[in-house]
């Protein structure tokens, strides 16, 4: 009677030779070739993750709200930056209902300094939509039906909180997969991203998607780094087609990002007595809903022109206008180059929206820390001593 092959022996036979491996890579590079049986890849990456994963607060919970919050905060933002915000935000809004019932200015204040404020407004709106339901959406499809929750976030919450076997792709995962499979397409193109999602589905560990998805993300965040992948310490190095072909640092291919275009502005840090004047940005604009010293687009060099433009915006004469310095603040698509002036104002402008601002108000210095303000606004205030939130 023929002996039944052991699990390990089966795997050994199934693994291609180096020649098969390279041939497959060459044939499939344009579309992304499978580097080896998915099970071996899964086991190597999973074992590595279980041994070395960072102990992060959102990995100690299965609360879908807490996991959702972490996923939103981590978009475009480093773990070290998110950590203090995550704890404070959860303490302030411990449930999706608490978040839904909070006024938007309080949510923006808790988000202040974390950047990409549209995330906070969409999180808040989505929490209100969820709070109207009987329970938290319990699947990827149900999460996707909530306005403001996209494919990545829905898959992350569904797989990590509920163990639903669904693949996900973020920037880290796209980089890891494009290298593992030597995928030569443009990962920023629609077709390229679709192929990366297909690859993510092929390698998904359906038995433990929570661990697998987090392991792939961790690999991208700590080992398979954008410029200098640490292939010698990578659990998948023997299966990685890009490493074998010596092209790891060249992948993923992507169209060069456009450089942020310069946007000259003029800002005014104006005092009304002992208070500082701030404007609340109209909600549909950049930094919408946040407070800041009022600013105008334009490259104004003459003080008379600066004075005239702000007097028109604020509907009030300025006194003691003086240059306070310059601020450069780089966003994803814009490089704000700002000439900052200080001045005194007899009173707070009255009435409704003026320019980019839905409202104006003046605050004592000790009240600024409780407001929703952007890092950009804090840089402007920092030029005028005593105005820092
Ligand atoms: Fe990334 Fe190198 Fe690991 Fe391949 S071997 S997945 S390029 S770190």
């Amino acid at each position: 009677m023929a002996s039944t092959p052991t699990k390990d022996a089966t795997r050994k036979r199934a693994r291609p030779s180096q020649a098969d491996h390279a041939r497959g890579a060459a044939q499939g590079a344009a579309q992304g070739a499978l580097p080896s049986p998915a099970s071996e890849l899964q086991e190597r990456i999973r074992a590595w993750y279980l041994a070395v994963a960072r102990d992060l607060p959102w990995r100690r919970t299965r609360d879908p709200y807490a996991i959702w919050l972490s996923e939103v905060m981590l978009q475009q933002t480093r773990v070290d930056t998110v950590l203090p915000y995550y704890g404070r935000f959860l303490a302030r809004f411990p449930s999706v209902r608490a978040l839904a019932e909070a006024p938007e200015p309080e949510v923006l204040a808790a988000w202040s300094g974390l950047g990409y404020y549209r995330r906070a407004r969409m999180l808040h709106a989505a929490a209100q939509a969820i709070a109207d339901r009987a329970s938290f959406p319990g699947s990827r499809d149900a999460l996707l039906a909530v306005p403001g929750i996209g494919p990545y976030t829905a898959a992350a919450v569904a797989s990590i909180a509920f163990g639903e076997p669904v693949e996900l792709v973020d920037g880290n995962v796209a980089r890891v997969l494009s290298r593992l499979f030597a995928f030569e397409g443009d990962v920023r193109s629609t077709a390229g991203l679709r192929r990366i999602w297909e690859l993510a589905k092929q390698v998904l560990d359906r038995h433990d998607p929570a661990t697998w998805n987090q392991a792939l993300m961790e690999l991208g965040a700590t080992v398979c780094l954008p410029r200098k992948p640490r292939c010698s310490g990578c659990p998948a190095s023997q299966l990685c087609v890009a490493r074998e072909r010596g092209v790891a640092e060249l992948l993923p291919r992507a169209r060069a990002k456009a450089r942020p275009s310069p946007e000259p502005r003029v800002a005014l840090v104006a005092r009304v007595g002992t208070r500082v004047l701030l404007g609340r940005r109209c909600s549909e604009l950049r930094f919408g809903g946040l407070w800041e010293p009022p600013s105008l687009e334009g490259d104004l060099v003459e003080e008379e022109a600066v004075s005239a433009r702000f007097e028109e915006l604020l509907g009030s004469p300025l006194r003691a206008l003086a240059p306070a310095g310059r601020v450069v603040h780089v966003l994803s698509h814009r490089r704000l180059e700002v000439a900052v002036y200080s001045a005194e104002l007899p009173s707070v402008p009255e009435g409704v929206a003026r320019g980019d601002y839905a409202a104006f108000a003046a605050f004592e210095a000790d009240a600024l820390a409780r407001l929703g303000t952007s890092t950009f606004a804090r840089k402007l205030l920092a030029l005028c001593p005593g105005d820092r939130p």
Side-chain angles (χ1 to χ4, degrees):
M1 184 174 134
S3 61
T4 306
T6 63
K7 203 174 166 199
D8 283 342
T10 306
R11 274 189 208 124
K12 197 169 178 184
R13 273 205 303 276
R15 188 175 169 191
S17 67
Q18 289 294 312
D20 290 340
H21 192 152
R23 204 161 30 246
Q27 288 166 353
Q31 292 207 318
L34 268 175
S36 79
S39 62
E40 182 169 0
L41 191 68
Q42 289 164 357
E43 282 174 26
R44 285 175 183 249
I45 292 177
R46 175 189 163 83
W48 165 82
Y49 176 75
L50 293 176
V52 306
R54 292 169 292 176
D55 180 24
L56 300 171
W58 45 86
R59 290 180 177 163
R60 297 180 216 132
T61 179
R62 285 291 175 269
D63 174 1
Y65 165 66
I67 291 167
W68 174 39
L69 175 65
S70 73
E71 291 298 337
V72 175
M73 284 190 164
L74 287 164
Q75 287 164 21
Q76 321 261 8
T77 311
R78 296 168 57 85
V79 165
D80 291 350
T81 306
V82 165
L83 279 169
Y85 283 89
Y86 179 76
R88 282 198 302 265
F89 199 95
L90 264 187
R92 173 67 188 82
F93 310 110
S95 66
V96 72
R97 179 158 299 282
L99 176 59
E101 291 175 353
E104 185 180 277
E106 282 188 31
V107 177
L108 291 173
W111 204 273
S112 284
L114 198 51
Y116 298 97
Y117 297 93
R118 188 163 171 269
R119 293 179 301 177
R121 288 192 295 275
M122 293 187 76
L123 179 79
H124 188 218
Q128 290 172 333
I130 291 172
D132 286 341
R133 303 163 50 114
S135 61
F136 199 95
S139 68
R140 175 176 63 177
D141 288 349
L143 283 157
L144 271 174
V146 178
I149 296 185
Y152 164 77
T153 305
V157 175
S159 61
I160 298 170
F162 309 130
E164 185 179 348
V166 287
E167 70 282 6
L168 59 75
V169 173
D170 70 350
N172 284 326
V173 172
R175 183 168 60 257
V176 171
L177 293 179
S178 71
R179 288 171 173 169
L180 279 173
F181 293 83
F183 175 62
E184 294 278 353
D186 179 352
V187 295
R188 292 213 188 102
S189 70
T190 305
L193 199 53
R194 189 185 308 125
R195 179 62 185 147
I196 292 290
W197 275 90
E198 288 169 5
L199 295 174
K201 191 170 187 174
Q202 283 182 40
V203 296
L204 175 68
D205 180 350
R206 304 183 68 80
H207 301 295
D208 187 358
T211 301
W212 172 252
N213 282 339
Q214 291 181 90
L216 265 193
M217 291 191 277
E218 185 82 344
L219 191 65
T222 62
V223 177
C224 195
L225 301 173
R227 295 212 179 103
K228 293 261 178 240
R230 298 172 180 160
C231 301
S232 58
C234 175
S237 64
Q238 292 176 29
L239 308 174
C240 177
V241 182
R243 185 205 57 76
E244 185 176 282
R245 300 176 67 203
V247 296
E249 291 184 22
L250 302 178
L251 298 178
R253 309 261 187 221
R255 284 189 312 273
K257 264 192 196 170
R259 296 178 64 176
S261 55
E263 181 179 310
R265 298 192 72 84
V266 186
L268 181 71
V269 179
R271 293 193 164 281
V272 184
T274 59
R275 298 173 296 159
V276 64
L277 178 82
L278 299 181
R280 183 158 55 79
R281 303 269 301 173
C282 294
S283 58
E284 71 277 13
L285 299 179
R286 177 176 67 209
F287 301 135
L290 298 176
W291 292 91
E292 67 178 23
S295 70
L296 299 161
E297 189 166 358
D299 193 8
L300 304 178
V301 288
E302 303 291 338
E303 282 191 20
E304 289 78 13
V306 172
S307 180
R309 290 283 305 277
F310 277 108
E311 288 184 353
E312 182 186 355
L313 173 70
L314 302 174
S316 173
L318 296 179
R319 292 195 299 258
L321 183 75
R326 292 189 70 82
V327 161
V328 173
H329 189 72
V330 181
L331 302 166
S332 53
H333 301 294
R334 288 277 185 276
R335 176 184 159 91
L336 308 183
E337 298 172 350
V338 190
V340 186
Y341 286 79
S342 62
E344 293 171 6
L345 205 63
S347 61
V348 177
E350 292 181 354
V352 287
R354 290 167 179 263
D356 291 346
Y357 299 93
F360 289 99
F363 301 90
E364 297 291 352
D366 61 0
L368 298 179
R370 295 190 291 277
L371 292 176
T373 53
S374 64
T375 302
F376 170 61
R378 294 173 193 211
K379 283 184 183 176
L380 300 178
L381 290 165
L383 280 182
C384 302
D387 294 330
R388 192 192 304 261

